[in-house]
Amino acid sequence: MILLFAAFAVKAQDNAVQPMDGTECSNLFFKALLEEDSNVLSNLLANDFTVVSFQGQTVDGGQLHQAVAEGHIVIESGMLSGARTRTYGDVAVVTGQWSAKGRIENNGFQGELSYMTVCVKSGGRWKVSAVQFTPIQ
């Protein structure tokens, strides 16, 4: 019975979302935030993931995962536009705008953000390594 459970757990991990390229990896990151899907988010984040927030604070992957899982970060709506991807082998830099509305620690925000995601292909899988958000004034 234990071996059957272990085999099922390994198979479930293999069925996790696997982006085909850096653009899809970046898009899935934003989709996971919008859907508050901490499991998909966890699967997409590189071990050394960091995000630079609106005010310039750095948050690591574990903190982001926990904040989404516990409902401290809630994205009510979000629309990506103007995405541009530059790929350098196993690294993709994606830039664009994100019109978003949500709450962080019960502090509401709404507006246009410029974003940059850095996605890397490691071990045959695309992961998000870094994200930076800048409010558009």
Side-chain angles (χ1 to χ4, degrees):
M1 187 67 139
I2 293 172
L3 290 176
L4 181 62
F5 177 74
F8 178 74
V10 168
K11 181 66 175 166
Q13 289 177 352
D14 288 344
N15 289 337
V17 176
Q18 295 302 317
M20 298 299 292
D21 58 26
T23 303
E24 185 179 13
C25 185
S26 178
N27 290 341
L28 287 171
F29 170 80
F30 286 99
K31 183 179 179 197
L33 286 178
L34 183 61
E35 294 177 353
E36 300 173 41
D37 192 333
S38 60
N39 292 327
V40 169
L41 194 61
S42 179
N43 185 55
L44 287 172
L45 300 182
N47 291 337
D48 60 350
F49 172 87
T50 58
V51 60
V52 179
S53 69
F54 312 147
Q55 291 83 23
Q57 300 145 326
T58 302
V59 176
D60 69 33
Q63 293 168 316
L64 179 63
H65 177 266
Q66 183 178 1
V68 171
E70 294 177 0
H72 298 294
I73 296 177
V74 175
I75 306 301
E76 297 167 13
S77 63
M79 176 72 70
L80 297 174
S81 64
R84 177 174 179 241
T85 302
R86 292 169 286 161
T87 303
Y88 308 96
D90 289 341
V91 176
V93 178
V94 184
T95 57
Q97 291 81 44
W98 189 33
S99 178
K101 178 181 178 184
R103 295 183 321 275
I104 299 175
E105 294 281 330
N106 291 321
N107 294 313
F109 69 89
Q110 180 174 354
E112 299 289 323
L113 304 168
S114 179
Y115 72 87
M116 179 176 59
T117 58
V118 178
C119 300
V120 296
K121 190 173 185 181
S122 177
R125 296 179 180 212
W126 283 97
K127 301 279 188 173
V128 180
S129 177
V131 176
Q132 179 160 352
F133 294 112
T134 304
I136 298 173
Q137 302 296 333

